[in-house]
């Protein structure tokens, strides 16, 4: 009976998608849940960064409790990092979204609201250096150039959607500053397209790359 059902599904070209729903890496990672909820979360509903899954799986075991993280762009990743590290600062240019996010955050995380023109330099308000700086908001080229000035000596910059051509010049500039690049291609929560999340680091870095 089971073989007959699968034969019919395969004839209808439904075998592959059915198998993905029933038992697959995408199911285990929570992609189907995220697709329907439109939130970046795992299979249990916990928030995760809106990175490619390969980048998230690489990063998660390397986070340490004493890290300070700055994010250009807040969301599920802010909630995720707040559970993992000592301090999280995020910057937002949407006032309503900044208020919504701040209401959800624990004491070790905060959202800095600013006007779009002040977005790249908003990191100065934190008055700190960071082990991780995540670039995943607006004006990414300008944010990348600011980020290098606020890293700890062992800090790492994470740039999401690094496969986009509009970021190529700034990413090349980053490598020219002595950073090495590690790309993680694949699918990410919610969406269906191929994307890339890249880590930029130097030899002695906090993620032990």
């Amino acid at each position: 009976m089971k073989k007959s059902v699968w034969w019919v599904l395969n004839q209808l070209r439904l075998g592959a998608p059915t198998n993905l729903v029933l038992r697959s890496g995408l199911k285990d990672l929570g992609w189907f849940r995220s697709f329907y909820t439109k939130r970046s979360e795992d299979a249990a509903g916990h928030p995760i960064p809106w990175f490619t899954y390969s980048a998230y799986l690489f990063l998660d075991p390397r986070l340490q409790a004493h890290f300070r993280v700055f994010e250009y762009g807040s969301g599920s990743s802010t909630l995720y990092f707040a559970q993992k590290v000592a301090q999280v600062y995020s910057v937002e240019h949407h006032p309503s979204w900044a208020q919504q996010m701040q209401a959800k955050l624990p004491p070790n995380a905060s959202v800095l609201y600013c006007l779009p023109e002040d977005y790249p330099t908003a990191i100065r308000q934190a008055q700190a250096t960071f082990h991780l700086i995540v670039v995943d908001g607006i004006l990414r080229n300008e944010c990348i150039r600011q980020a290098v000035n606020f890293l700890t000596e062992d800090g790492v910059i994470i740039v999401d959607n690094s496969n986009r051509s509009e970021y190529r010049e700034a990413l090349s500039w980053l490598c020219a500053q002595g950073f090495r690049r590690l790309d993680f291609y694949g699918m990410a929560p919610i969406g269906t397209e191929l994307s890339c999340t890249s880590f930029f680091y130097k030899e002695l870095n906090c993620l032990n790359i």
Side-chain angles (χ1 to χ4, degrees):
M1 180 65 177
K2 185 182 292 187
K3 289 183 178 180
S4 298
V5 171
W6 279 107
W7 184 86
V8 172
L9 288 172
N10 287 331
Q11 293 302 306
L12 295 172
R13 297 293 189 268
L14 295 175
T18 301
N19 204 48
L20 286 173
V21 172
L22 294 177
R23 52 180 186 273
S24 69
L26 288 178
K27 176 181 179 292
D28 294 341
L29 288 166
W31 181 84
F32 290 97
R33 181 187 182 107
S34 75
F35 180 81
Y36 291 114
T37 64
K38 301 306 177 188
R39 294 191 297 267
S40 186
E41 57 190 20
D42 63 17
H46 302 130
I48 61 173
W50 201 358
F51 301 159
T52 58
Y53 284 115
S54 53
Y56 159 65
L57 293 172
F58 177 82
L59 174 66
D60 186 70
R62 290 170 168 80
L63 292 176
Q64 299 184 42
H66 70 277
F67 281 6
R68 292 185 303 277
V69 176
F70 186 90
E71 299 180 295
Y72 285 103
S74 64
S76 292
S77 60
T78 315
L79 297 168
Y80 164 80
F81 282 123
Q83 298 172 359
K84 300 278 187 174
V85 304
Q87 195 73 46
V88 185
Y89 293 91
S90 296
V91 60
E92 267 300 331
H93 68 289
H94 287 296
S96 59
W97 182 248
Q99 290 178 350
Q100 290 180 50
M101 283 303 307
Q102 187 61 60
K104 299 176 182 178
L105 296 177
N108 68 325
S110 60
V111 177
L112 309 171
Y113 165 71
C114 70
L115 297 173
E117 56 265 33
D118 298 323
Y119 191 86
T121 57
I123 192 171
R124 300 174 185 174
Q125 297 181 41
Q127 298 183 335
T129 55
F130 299 92
H131 299 90
L132 298 178
I133 298 179
V134 179
V135 182
D136 195 16
I138 63 170
L139 302 174
R140 296 190 198 186
N141 292 323
E142 293 84 350
C143 292
I144 288 167
R145 293 177 182 269
Q146 286 292 325
V148 298
N149 301 313
F150 296 92
L151 283 175
T152 58
E153 289 186 3
D154 58 352
V156 175
I157 298 173
I158 302 174
V159 182
D160 198 25
N161 311 119
S162 53
N163 53 308
R164 295 178 181 172
S165 59
E166 59 262 38
Y167 308 142
R168 187 176 301 151
E169 183 178 350
L171 298 182
S172 296
W173 174 85
L174 199 53
C175 292
Q177 307 309 303
F179 287 88
R180 300 174 184 176
R181 176 175 177 169
L182 183 59
D183 292 335
F184 290 92
Y185 279 88
M187 286 181 61
I190 304 172
T192 57
E193 68 281 357
L194 183 70
S195 187
C196 183
T197 304
S198 297
F199 291 64
F200 293 84
Y201 62 97
K202 294 188 176 179
E203 184 175 358
L204 300 176
N205 61 83
C206 63
L207 297 181
N208 294 317
I209 303 174

